[in-house]
Amino acid sequence: MKRTFLLLSILLFTHLLNAQQIALIQYRGGGDWYANPTSLKNLIAFCNQNLEMTLHPKYEVVEVGSPDLYRYPFVHLTGHGNVVFNDAEAQNLRNYLIAGGFLHIDDNYGLDKFIRPAMKRVFPEFEFVELPYNHPVFHQKYSFPNGLPKIHEHDNKPPQAFGLFWDGRLVCLYSYEADLGDGWEDYMVHKDSEATRTKALQMGANILMYVFTQ
């Protein structure tokens, strides 16, 4: 088991040195993992233009249980509905995160009651903890002194950022009631104001900058 984990760590580290491509997680359960089809494309373009990153302009789609997960230092999961991880998928995601990968989960409204038990299968020993406003993810190139920006209103709840930590390292960021991904989409999808879309893209850029500079 230790040897397997070491090999996985080496594989991920090798890809981290050269990897400039991010991926969208495809999961089972019936939830719309494919929601917000233009969001990652726009976030990548924003980061390349404003943070001088060199991300591949095309993101990939990767199944949560696939060994290809280790090709990407950053993976994104979103949707409105059910999320199901079987034992093998949960273990694969756990190994990926422990080995150095990062998962951003974006609640696209309605995801919360499904993603929490799914992630509990990944890390049964941990609970999501709310990130304080002084966490570095809010203070990269762009400053968000009050935490996540509110992009879309749903249940009159404040946006919250939750994290899962492994050995002191943030391995999963869960943005709840913010709907960042909607703000990353093409203007014609939701017709949000330029200021709202900019806030969403800046926060998304902070997340990627944090991941790629840790």
Side-chain angles (χ1 to χ4, degrees):
M1 181 65 181
K2 288 184 178 179
R3 178 178 173 164
T4 299
F5 178 70
L6 177 61
L7 289 173
L8 291 174
S9 298
I10 292 171
L11 177 61
L12 178 61
F13 181 72
T14 301
H15 281 294
L16 284 174
L17 292 177
N18 304 295
Q20 293 293 332
Q21 192 167 34
I22 65 176
L24 175 68
I25 289 283
Q26 180 178 351
Y27 52 84
R28 298 178 304 107
D32 53 341
W33 59 267
Y34 45 82
N36 297 345
T38 63
S39 63
L40 287 182
K41 169 182 68 74
N42 291 333
L43 178 60
I44 290 167
F46 183 89
C47 289
N48 286 345
Q49 180 176 352
N50 294 280
L51 272 62
E52 298 183 353
M53 298 181 76
T54 56
L55 296 172
H56 193 289
K58 181 181 182 299
Y59 67 89
E60 293 292 338
V61 174
V62 60
E63 294 181 0
V64 69
S66 171
D68 288 341
L69 193 66
Y70 294 86
R71 297 178 57 194
Y72 311 103
F74 174 97
V75 292
H76 174 78
L77 184 153
T78 191
H80 301 81
N82 195 23
V83 181
V84 172
F85 299 154
N86 63 28
D87 288 344
E89 290 167 337
Q91 188 64 53
N92 192 55
L93 182 55
R94 179 186 176 93
N95 290 343
Y96 161 79
L97 295 173
I98 291 174
F102 189 93
L103 170 64
H104 174 226
I105 302 168
D106 189 44
D107 172 32
N108 203 5
Y109 189 54
L111 189 68
D112 190 67
K113 66 181 180 180
F114 303 111
I115 196 60
R116 287 183 180 271
M119 289 306 296
K120 195 66 175 173
R121 296 197 72 174
V122 179
F123 287 110
E125 68 272 45
F126 297 136
E127 300 287 344
F128 277 113
V129 296
E130 186 168 5
L131 301 186
Y133 293 164
N134 64 355
H135 190 277
V137 76
F138 300 123
H139 305 280
Q140 297 292 307
K141 178 171 183 178
Y142 305 104
S143 181
F144 288 87
N146 298 313
L148 290 176
K150 184 76 169 178
I151 305 306
H152 281 175
E153 186 62 66
H154 296 302
D155 292 325
N156 198 30
K157 294 179 181 178
Q160 294 175 281
F162 296 101
L164 290 171
F165 292 82
W166 176 265
D167 199 22
R169 180 176 67 89
L170 180 65
V171 298
C172 174
L173 172 65
Y174 172 32
S175 46
Y176 172 65
E177 283 286 334
D179 226 340
L180 293 177
D182 276 6
W184 303 341
E185 286 240 72
D186 288 348
Y187 168 76
M188 291 305 296
V189 178
H190 300 289
K191 298 185 179 178
D192 291 322
S193 70
E194 188 64 25
T196 296
R197 295 183 70 242
T198 297
K199 284 191 299 183
L201 287 164
Q202 288 177 341
M203 186 64 233
N206 268 14
I207 297 170
L208 278 169
M209 187 174 185
Y210 174 82
V211 172
F212 277 86
T213 58
Q214 292 306 297

